[in-house]
Amino acid sequence: MTTQQTVKIQLVRSPIGCKEDHRATVRGLGLRKLNSTSELQDTPAVRGMINKISYLVRVL
């Protein structure tokens, strides 16, 4: 069995007032409220989503 690499992210700024596609990206990463965390597989798609909203999230 191979272990999947994961990345843990936390929402640190509110997406209110941001572009609609940035808000959709936040929801796509599984983040809801401020300080909520999500642990996802470390794939290029997820890294791209994190890069797009890097000003809203923190990588833990």
Side-chain angles (χ1 to χ4, degrees):
M1 283 192 273
T2 61
T3 57
Q4 291 286 334
Q5 293 291 332
T6 60
V7 61
K8 194 170 186 179
I9 56 173
Q10 179 181 21
L11 185 64
V12 294
R13 285 192 58 201
S14 174
I16 294 174
C18 295
K19 292 182 176 181
E20 186 62 39
D21 62 323
H22 288 203
R23 276 186 258 158
T25 303
V26 169
R27 294 292 296 135
L29 288 172
L31 301 170
R32 295 181 62 97
K33 298 180 179 182
L34 281 181
N35 298 318
S36 64
T37 59
S38 183
E39 192 165 349
L40 304 164
Q41 291 183 1
D42 192 9
T43 62
V46 170
R47 285 287 176 170
M49 292 171 78
I50 293 170
N51 190 38
K52 183 175 184 178
I53 58 165
S54 62
Y55 64 100
L56 296 175
V57 297
R58 177 186 306 141
V59 177
L60 302 175

